[in-house]
Amino acid sequence: MIVTNRPSYQRPRQKTERSDAKETAETVDEDEIDPNEVIRTADGELMHEPTGLILEDDQLDRGPEWRAFTQSERDSKSRVGAPTTQAMHDKGLTTSIDWKNKDADGRSLSSKKRSKMHRLRKWHERIRTKDAGERNLQFALSEIDRMASALGIPRPVREVASVMYRQALNDDLIRGRSIEGVSTAVLYAACRQEEIPRSLKEVTEVSRVENKEIARTYRYIAQELGLEMRPVDPKQYVPRFCSRLDVSEEVQVKAGEIIDVSADQGLLSGKSPIGFAAAAIYSASLLCNEKKTQAEVSAVANVTEVTIRNRYQEQLRAMGVSD
DNA sequence: AAATTAGGTTACGCGAC
DNA sequence: GTCGCCAAACCTAATTT
């Protein structure tokens, strides 16, 4: 249910306290809440109506940037900043100077004035296209930043992503593609290049663009910018997954070892690096007597238990453990 | 919890249109 | 550019050990 305008309900908190909302929600026993009393607010949050408790904060802020007090204001102001037309980057909002050498009354201009007008037009055009590019960039960079923080990606990687985006803009690669799509794609690319990869799935979850388009844009951009598209080394996922699993250093090291050895024997070819890493961690946990269940590992790695099963036995065999 | 099985989905390269 | 097709990897779900 979408509730657009509810003057009757009082927001239980200030806008600035947004970050606290989640913790509050998690500490409450949600079983006691009648689903019929839960509504979705205009901001996309799930709220328990009688108490005003926010059950689930929408991760993506799709709300209007400005405050609006009436419906018509809301209509006119929602989504400020996003381009609404591809055809004309500035939506025709900037001044334009036409190319006829006539003044406002239709008379021809003197030669002196003509050359002055010529200069004006030239500069005007330069400025207009320049800040259109700047705006594009600004929007993209804020988008990259938003996604990066949501994924906990360190700053240097964001810088790399920004550089890539600038270059894509320079090379005119954005044309016909959405800013959001390209932003997501370069972030994904930057993570891979900096060797702290996020899976396409993870990236997709914080993006406004669907998986397929991100993959397609990524391939295109990587190709055009001449980025190396080496397959991801499964080892790059190990530290992150291990820390989420709370296992010892020993297991982490062992998992890396398993990956090296079994990859050397050609077990990796064609397999997803994520599933491979997950299986190696599971194997390592067995070998180190610190057993984690397949379910636990599959949860942090975002693969199924079946995938882990399909990998780990042959990995163990490769380590010479089966006999 | 782990294994097995069956069936559906996806991404990819290829050629044809 | 996109349609159809393919095979492999992966997923979901149900069932058994």
Side-chain angles (χ1 to χ4, degrees), chain A residues 200-265:
Chain A
L200 205 49
K201 211 181 195 171
E202 290 172 288
V203 177
T204 306
E205 265 169 26
V206 298
S207 174
R208 304 181 206 270
V209 185
E210 62 178 21
N211 193 310
K212 208 172 146 192
E213 184 186 340
I214 298 171
R216 188 160 36 86
T217 310
Y218 163 70
R219 279 196 300 275
Y220 176 75
I221 297 282
Q223 171 118 32
E224 293 298 315
L225 293 185
L227 305 176
E228 297 228 18
M229 288 242 271
R230 242 173 291 138
V232 179
D233 181 349
K235 265 188 295 183
Q236 292 171 1
Y237 288 106
V238 170
R240 195 153 56 90
F241 292 163
C242 279
S243 87
R244 278 200 252 162
L245 272 175
D246 199 30
V247 293
S248 72
E249 193 74 13
E250 192 191 350
V251 173
Q252 186 168 327
V253 172
K254 194 76 183 173
E257 213 176 293
I258 293 172
I259 289 172
D260 280 336
V261 173
S262 55
D264 269 352
Q265 303 187 18

Side-chain angles (χ1 to χ4, degrees), chain A residues 68-290:
Chain A
F69 298 94
T70 68
Q71 191 57 50
S72 65
E73 240 178 7
R74 213 186 301 276
D75 289 340
S76 62
K77 283 184 174 170
S78 67
R79 262 305 133 210
V80 172
T84 53
T85 166
Q86 258 79 36
M88 212 184 292
H89 59 254
D90 57 10
K91 291 207 299 185
L93 286 176
T94 55
T95 319
S96 64
I97 302 176
D98 78 26
W99 291 95
K100 296 198 190 89
N101 282 317
K102 300 285 175 77
D103 67 14
D105 295 326
R107 285 177 301 210
S108 314
L109 301 170
S110 69
S111 67
K112 217 197 274 177
K113 288 224 160 148
R114 258 209 305 267
S115 70
K116 186 177 174 187
M117 287 302 292
H118 186 69
R119 279 202 314 279
L120 268 176
R121 284 177 189 126
K122 223 156 95 182
W123 279 107
H124 186 69
E125 197 57 28
R126 281 181 197 165
I127 290 164
R128 207 167 65 101
T129 55
K130 179 161 183 280
D131 58 41
E134 289 299 314
R135 264 201 314 264
N136 182 326
L137 194 59
Q138 231 181 343
F139 181 67
L141 295 189
S142 74
E143 192 64 6
I144 288 171
D145 210 57
R146 180 187 64 77
M147 293 186 288
S149 2
L151 291 172
I153 291 169
R155 221 150 264 293
V157 180
R158 305 182 197 188
E159 297 300 323
V160 173
S162 305
V163 171
M164 285 181 185
Y165 192 91
R166 273 175 221 276
Q167 203 175 347
L169 196 59
N170 269 344
D171 297 0
D172 207 15
L173 303 180
I174 321 279
R175 199 160 299 228
R177 271 162 258 275
S178 70
I179 296 177
E180 281 136 341
V182 179
S183 304
T184 316
V186 295
L187 181 61
Y188 174 68
C191 287
R192 278 181 68 160
Q193 192 138 85
E194 295 304 294
E195 313 213 316
I196 50 156
R198 294 298 185 270
S199 70
L200 205 49
K201 211 181 195 171
E202 290 172 288
V203 177
T204 306
E205 265 169 26
V206 298
S207 174
R208 304 181 206 270
V209 185
E210 62 178 21
N211 193 310
K212 208 172 146 192
E213 184 186 340
I214 298 171
R216 188 160 36 86
T217 310
Y218 163 70
R219 279 196 300 275
Y220 176 75
I221 297 282
Q223 171 118 32
E224 293 298 315
L225 293 185
L227 305 176
E228 297 228 18
M229 288 242 271
R230 242 173 291 138
V232 179
D233 181 349
K235 265 188 295 183
Q236 292 171 1
Y237 288 106
V238 170
R240 195 153 56 90
F241 292 163
C242 279
S243 87
R244 278 200 252 162
L245 272 175
D246 199 30
V247 293
S248 72
E249 193 74 13
E250 192 191 350
V251 173
Q252 186 168 327
V253 172
K254 194 76 183 173
E257 213 176 293
I258 293 172
I259 289 172
D260 280 336
V261 173
S262 55
D264 269 352
Q265 303 187 18
L267 293 184
L268 175 57
S269 127
K271 310 297 183 347
S272 108
I274 300 171
F276 206 78
I281 293 171
Y282 175 71
S283 305
S285 82
L286 294 182
L287 294 181
C288 298
N289 289 321
E290 259 184 66

